[in-house]
Amino acid sequence: MPQRSVEALKEADTTQVPVRRRTFRVENIPCGTTRDQLKGFFRLDDQSQIEVKSLVPAIDNIDGRGFQTATIQFSPPSSGSTSEPRATNDAISVDKDFYGFTPLSVPQGYIAADVIAVTGLAGHAFGSWSHSPERMWLRDDLPTDIPNVRVIVYGDYSCCENTFEFTPTLVLLIQSIAETKEVLSDINGAIGGGFPSRLPVQLIVFMGAPHRGLDTTALETLVKSKPTEGLVRELKAGSPTLTELNDKFRHIATDITILSCFESNPTKTAIEKPDGSWKREGNPVMMVPLDNARLFFPREICIDSYSDHSRIAKLRRSEAGIYPDIKSAIRQAVADTANERAVILQKQGHFSAAESILRRALDDDEGSIAIDLDMLLSAHLLGLVLHEQRRYSEAGEMFRQAVEGWEGVLGSEHADTLQSKYSLGIALYFQEKYVEAEGVFRQAAEGQQKVLGSEHESVLWSKHWLGRTFSFQKNFVQAEKMFGEIVERQEKVLGPEHADTLENKNWLGRTIYLRGNYLEAEEAMRRVVEGRERVLGPEHKDTLESKALLGRVLYFQERFLEAEGVLRRAAEARERVLGSEDTDTLESKIWLGRVLYFLERFSEAEGKFRQAAEGLERVLGSEHIETQRSKEWVWIASRKQT
């Protein structure tokens, strides 16, 4: 045969042999290793066949100083000299099984949540999700669309050794990253019937999960005489094991959103060929019909995958499939998770951490706060966190954004709009913008009254703060009328000694005192003090507030000896309960000093004024008006002793 013809045949022969690209996991990669450097860990003749698809911190690398994990694609040479990449660095580990946890994507900085993809019986932790050798949506698409989540696949050893996947795959969105391993351990243990009391999970996406059984005919052939044969039989429709698992799961999944993706096309079954291999060439069957793929839970949403069982989890980034639905569900769950975590941190007093989470949630929305309900909630919650830190101007801005957004989406009289208006009013009040606060509280109270009724607690609290704005604008007649109406309604609804009723009675007494009617104010404040002592205790901060106010009422009646006793007890108790440099403690010392001054005990009075002045200077600063006033009293008392 001529030489040219031989070469042509060789060329033809090599072009007909397909080169199969395979994905491998590489672990124990030193921190800081780049993609190019990673290739250098392999034999030189393999490096050109390697493409690094992902390189991220390992599952237990929280601080960024541990090892890294990579996924690489390897195209074996046509010579067939090797089917796997050959490492020259013994420290790294290379495998194609993907058992355990494999992180595919890790955000830079803040991680909002973990997305965990778990395969079922006979499934491959990576291959089950890949629609082609080139792309795998959990690694290549989801991180682009939702960049603040960590994406992880999880694989478990299955005794059903074959290439056909018949049992469910699922995606979990874990609320707390620290609980990821615990959750997966619970899921694995659930096969044995043991469920945890709760799952820190926001969303579960089931893909072809046989909650009520599947067609096991083909599976039984595959596992005949193998250890998993009994397990496969338990997957039949009507299985007592599945019934029990579903019942137990129902009790812990009450707060979890569930997407059940079901198949609508039949799947070709696997048959054994004469050479002992298995091929998917058997009669097509509906592996998991719709009713078998459903849990019938209240928070379950069912989605048609328009696919068969073998392709249901191999998603493409296309509007034609279910990828947009799953992406939207995960994005929604991430927003819910951020808000829930922020609320927990706020309640625990971790305001900086809560603020950080909420600001990132708002940043991720790319400025579309006016049309995204979750982002509006984040804005409102951020306002509350800022308010707790006494950053009232910033808090007011967040509440204002929330109000404008709620009004545009839900309307001016929706409960969420009115709640943000109420919070905006409080932020304005603490900025001493009483006129603007009055207008906001009026709107909130009128809207809430229409929606909730005149005796609802939200209405009464909006009116309470409206009364406060009247008081600080020296509109005492209107303030007294407002607090009087609130007290009358609360006594009827809550009772005369409910804490809320006593709070408004305290403000009613305070308003009467400011109006100059000291005898009536004394009577009102004594009732409040007695009520609060019974309900809250004699040294509760609210009880001490009322006692201090009663002392001031007695002072203005020039009943100085009685006032001294009341104010001294209040000052001493406040120092024990609130601390020596709390502003309320220091205020009590000023009023006690004033009483001592008018009792002509000038040296003792000067001592109280000096304690207050020094404390206020440390807490509020030397230029604050209260600091200056206390210093004036020091000077006045000292002059009387010369």
Side-chain angles (χ1 to χ4, degrees), residues 91-111:
I92 66 171
S93 173
V94 183
D95 75 277
K96 62 179 182 298
D97 298 315
F98 285 77
Y99 295 146
F101 292 95
T102 305
L104 301 178
S105 175
V106 179
Q108 294 292 326
Y110 169 67
I111 302 174

Side-chain angles (χ1 to χ4, degrees), residues 34 71 100 181 214 223 275 282 312 327 349 384 489 498 588-589 630:
T34 66
T71 60
K181 289 190 176 181
L214 80 163
V223 300
D275 62 358
I312 194 168
K327 176 183 68 176
L384 295 177
R489 291 186 183 278
H498 188 278
S588 292
K589 288 184 178 182
S630 60

